Structures are given as C-alpha cells and as structure tokens.
Amino acid sequence: MPTPKNPKSSKSANARKPLVYGAAVVVAAGLLGFASYRATAPDTTSKDTATTGPAAEVSADPDAGVYPELAKLARRDAGDKLAIGPANAPVVLIEYADFKCGYCGKFARDTEPELIGKYVKDGTLRIEWRNFPIFGEESENAARGAWAAGQQNRFWEFHRAAYAEGSKEKGFGKERVKALAQEAGVKDLDRFMKDLDGDAARASVEKDQEQAYGIGATSTPSFLINGRPIAGAQPDETFTRAIEAAAEQAKATGAAGRAGEPAK
C-alpha cells in the first residue's frame, strides 16, 4: 500500500494522531486503513488495478457508513481554486491524493471524468481536492505546483497533465513541474514558480495533509462522500452508488449545503 517513503514524511505521518471529530474519526480511521490495504494491495495482473475491499462497499441503506462529523469537512467555498462543481451541490466528494500515486492516476483518468460528466455538470456533485503528498520531495513539488496552477485558474488542467499516462515516471522535479504548468496553460510562469515556493503554497498543502492525517488516512487515494469514507481506486459503481445514495439522502432531508446549513 502507498505509504510515506522518506524519513521526514514517515516521521510526520507517524507523529500525527487523528483529530477529534467525535467518535466517527475512530471508525473512519479503521475503515480507511483497512480499505486502503485492500484497495492498494499489489495485484498480480496489473500494477494499476485496484482490488475491491469490503470496507469500501456501499450499503443499500443510505445512512450506513456515513459520519456527519466528517461531512462537515467539506469547505463549500465558492472561491476554492481546487474544486469543481457548485458550492451548494447536495453531494461533496473530498479527494485526498498524491500526484506520484499510481492508483490516484487511475482514478483521475478512468473514473473522475465520468463522475464530472454525469454528476458535476448537472449540479449534483462537487469535488474538492486535498493535496496529500506522502512520497517525499517530488510529491511536495507537485502538490505545491497544483496549488500554484490553481491561483491562475489552471488547477484541473495541471491535474490532467500530471496524471496523464507516463507522467509520474518522468518525475516531479521543479523544472518538470514548470513544464507541466506550461502544458496546462498557466500564462505567468514566473509568478507560478514564485507561488510554487511561497509560504502560501506550503501552508495550503500542510493544511490539507493535517486534515487527511486527522481522519486516519495514511495512503492514497482516500475519499469522503458526504461523510462516507472510501479508500482506493475502487470500481466506478462504488462511487456512483455512494453519490446517488448521498443525493437521495440529501433530497429526502431537504439538505443542500453543509449538514443543512446554507452554502457559501
């Protein structure tokens, strides 16, 4: 399973304890840990094929496996450069991912575009990205680069370029990250490089990391769908089932926005 590789990242991962989001975080940490192991265990037929773990299956009961405390982690900030979909969408998928993670790339290429086309475009779904670099310096470079691209409204283009087939094999040194920004259509590359190494980028990435560690995530990709933890690049139907269950639950309770609160 993907785990931190360099000493600094490993120390940080092991030192962080789950934050207190109520009892839900304890359960979610167990679910994410077990599902991550199952979902990211090496497959004998393909290194990029994830297996399905029972902890990631979605029950027919729309309330099963859903933790309201975790649903509140959705920011629903209309100005969020690293999100797509309306801020008041009934369903929010939070994605904790690393650009060096093969399974994250599989999700980005195979599943996410389908979810955007089917659910984001009709206003049902909002996807909020959280940078969760766990593979060392190059992961950090890519994460800060993604944030910097977002400041020029090119996050999703950078995301697509960084997760293209064969991209991670080229590495994410700073010059490579700059080249990805150029490929993504970032216009001011000088500003991009300053933002990449700026305090704001580092603070943003650290904030996302702390949130991920706080819910017990230790591998990538990890997801929350309206407070339902799902780990790994699961089959498409796992995500569609969770999104549709969450949408039905929101419709039944009249909830749009965060836990029934008005969206920003």
Side-chain angles (χ1 to χ4, degrees), residues 10 28 43 46 68 96 99 103 117-118 126 130 139 142 150 155 158 181 200 202 209-210 214 216 233 257:
S10 297
D43 184 83
S46 170
Y96 302 92
F99 286 103
Y103 293 106
K118 187 174 183 180
R126 174 178 175 82
R130 303 285 190 270
S139 289
F155 167 76
F158 182 96
R202 295 179 190 280
Q209 283 179 313
E210 291 290 352

Side-chain angles (χ1 to χ4, degrees), residues 3 25 47-48 61 73 87 90 108 163 173 175 180 187 203 227 247 263:
T3 53
V25 73
K47 67 180 180 179
D48 285 330
D61 179 354
L73 295 179
Y163 276 138
E175 286 305 310
L180 286 171
K187 294 189 181 299

Side-chain angles (χ1 to χ4, degrees), residues 125-136:
L125 179 67
R126 174 178 175 82
I127 299 175
E128 296 186 356
W129 171 270
R130 303 285 190 270
N131 276 304
F132 189 29
I134 61 174
F135 294 125

Side-chain angles (χ1 to χ4, degrees), residues 153-192:
N153 299 311
R154 304 303 287 178
F155 167 76
W156 289 101
E157 291 80 5
F158 182 96
H159 173 279
R160 183 165 55 251
Y163 276 138
E165 284 282 4
S167 182
K168 76 181 181 69
E169 285 75 19
K170 296 178 182 178
F172 292 110
K174 287 187 180 178
E175 286 305 310
R176 168 68 179 148
V177 171
K178 182 179 180 180
L180 286 171
Q182 187 171 21
E183 182 181 342
V186 173
K187 294 189 181 299
D188 188 340
L189 292 176
D190 289 338
R191 175 191 169 189
F192 172 84

Side-chain angles (χ1 to χ4, degrees), residues 106-127:
K106 177 177 175 59
F107 175 79
R109 292 188 299 273
D110 298 348
T111 302
E112 198 160 39
E114 297 296 324
L115 299 182
I116 291 172
K118 187 174 183 180
Y119 299 110
V120 173
K121 288 186 176 179
D122 75 358
T124 299
L125 179 67
R126 174 178 175 82
I127 299 175

Side-chain angles (χ1 to χ4, degrees), residues 65-114:
V66 174
Y67 303 94
E69 294 93 334
L70 299 182
K72 294 175 183 177
L73 295 179
R75 292 169 184 162
R76 295 187 176 277
D77 178 358
D80 188 346
K81 306 286 191 179
L82 278 59
I84 186 171
N88 64 348
V91 183
V92 177
L93 182 155
I94 303 174
E95 176 183 358
Y96 302 92
D98 185 319
F99 286 103
K100 284 181 68 71
C101 163
Y103 293 106
C104 301
K106 177 177 175 59
F107 175 79
R109 292 188 299 273
D110 298 348
T111 302
E112 198 160 39
E114 297 296 324

